[in-house]
Amino acid sequence: MENKTIKWGILGAGWIASQFARDLAHAQDVELTAVGSRSKEKAEAFAEKFGFARAYGSYEELVNDAEIDIIYVATPHPSHKEHVLKCLRAGKAVICEKPFTVNVKEAEEVVQFARENKIFLMEAMWTRFLPVIRKVREWIAEGRIGEVRLIKADFGFRTGVNPEGRLFNPALAGGALLDVGIYPLSFASMLLGANPKQVLSTAQLGETGVDEECSILLSYEGGQTAMLNAAIRLNSGSDAFIIGTAGSIRIPSFFNAKTATITAEDGTEETFADDRTTLGYVYEAEAAGQYLREGKLESDIISLDETLQLMRMMDGIRQQWGLRYPFE
């Protein structure tokens, strides 16, 4: 598969699918093969807008398209397990929009099937693949800020309460943690590991019963700390700070990072900027294609074991709040 053009399918035709499809058109060595939706009309409109060759009015038709190499699953959180398994059972490689599933039990079932059947599977944590985040990891590996001791990362926005909408409906696994809290959690995991010694958290549960704001404190064996916040009713911004013994790094809007500034102990600064014209999903798409060409079954940037541990951590955090979804 060394020089193979990767043929993509997208399962779902909503907002996040549109974002990904827009970027996929700019990826190298890809073919926009098909999109599947529960509505034939919606699929056809999506295919026409983004240049996909075929449109299907069911997910079954999509996963059974023999030409497709990999499918991007872009449906609501509670549907991820069902839809990823549908793809895997048809022998399709998958990248699944985060959160990977709604809890670790579902995640374990999906990962076990993929591993037993030797099919590529990855959580679509696109932030990890951005040039700025790669540069930040290089700076840290080079010892530019010494030993990392403290992470601070927020992702919060204020939106109106819609009890039936996916952000506020418990039946759709709504709330800040799964929707945006996964970003700061994954960011901390990337830098300090997925196994903190202690996890402390608090949340404001709103009128619909989901977490509208949450704060998480992670403590690690080596004494490092991560202070993380997420919200859907509070505009806390989305900046991240990495503080080391010999300097610090600031990443504005870290989840879709376009710049990062490193500050040395003596106060001198250096900024790395990504002048991309795409949204940034293109990098994870190209990485997934390369993994397939190399015959890999998972990513070395976001491993399935790390995805499982992040889901396990989020389960524990919700347990601290007493938040269970109706379907659990």
Side-chain angles (χ1 to χ4, degrees), residues 21 25 31-35 44-54:
E31 186 175 303
L32 309 184
T33 303
V35 59
E44 287 175 344
F46 189 102
E48 183 177 353
K49 181 176 181 180
F50 297 106
F52 281 78
R54 292 187 286 284

Side-chain angles (χ1 to χ4, degrees), residues 128 131-152 186-193 224 240-251 260-263 270 272:
R128 296 271 181 109
V132 167
I133 300 302
R134 288 178 177 270
K135 175 55 71 173
V136 165
R137 295 179 76 165
E138 282 178 25
W139 282 341
I140 292 170
E142 291 165 0
R144 295 279 299 274
I145 62 168
E147 181 192 356
V148 173
R149 301 296 301 170
L150 176 64
I151 306 291
K152 295 191 287 186
S186 185
F187 185 76
S189 175
M190 176 184 75
L191 297 171
L192 296 177
Q224 305 94 333
F241 300 85
I242 308 166
I243 300 159
T245 54
S248 63
I249 299 170
R250 175 175 179 263
I251 314 170
T261 299
I262 184 169
T263 304
E270 176 187 337
F272 176 85

Side-chain angles (χ1 to χ4, degrees), residues 13-27:
W15 181 81
I16 192 63
S18 298
Q19 300 291 94
F20 186 81
R22 176 178 151 186
D23 261 22
L24 192 58
H26 298 281

Side-chain angles (χ1 to χ4, degrees), residues 154-181:
D154 296 344
F155 195 163
F157 57 90
R158 182 170 174 80
T159 188
V161 176
N162 174 8
E164 299 305 314
R166 68 176 188 85
L167 288 175
F168 294 93
N169 189 343
L172 296 177
L177 179 65
L178 263 61
D179 198 69
V180 289

Side-chain angles (χ1 to χ4, degrees), residues 21-154:
R22 176 178 151 186
D23 261 22
L24 192 58
H26 298 281
Q28 296 294 312
D29 301 316
V30 305
E31 186 175 303
L32 309 184
T33 303
V35 59
S37 172
R38 289 174 298 183
S39 160
K40 177 71 168 175
E41 293 75 21
K42 193 171 182 180
E44 287 175 344
F46 189 102
E48 183 177 353
K49 181 176 181 180
F50 297 106
F52 281 78
R54 292 187 286 284
Y56 295 116
S58 73
Y59 299 144
E60 286 73 17
E61 290 175 285
L62 176 77
V63 302
N64 289 319
D65 185 322
E67 286 193 16
I68 294 174
D69 297 310
I70 185 168
I71 294 175
Y72 171 69
V73 171
T75 48
H77 308 341
S79 302
H80 286 180
K81 185 192 92 163
E82 175 194 349
H83 293 155
V84 171
L85 284 174
K86 190 182 292 288
C87 296
L88 294 174
R89 287 176 180 135
K92 305 302 186 189
V94 177
I95 68 171
C96 179
E97 188 52 46
K98 77 259 152 288
F100 190 66
T101 54
V102 294
N103 56 43
V104 73
K105 182 181 177 183
E106 289 190 354
E108 286 171 341
E109 185 179 341
V110 170
V111 168
Q112 181 180 351
F113 186 94
R115 285 176 165 168
E116 287 179 352
N117 291 277
K118 295 182 170 52
I119 304 170
F120 177 85
L121 176 63
M122 183 179 89
E123 178 184 3
M125 182 45 73
W126 63 295
T127 298
R128 296 271 181 109
F129 299 89
L130 298 174
V132 167
I133 300 302
R134 288 178 177 270
K135 175 55 71 173
V136 165
R137 295 179 76 165
E138 282 178 25
W139 282 341
I140 292 170
E142 291 165 0
R144 295 279 299 274
I145 62 168
E147 181 192 356
V148 173
R149 301 296 301 170
L150 176 64
I151 306 291
K152 295 191 287 186
D154 296 344

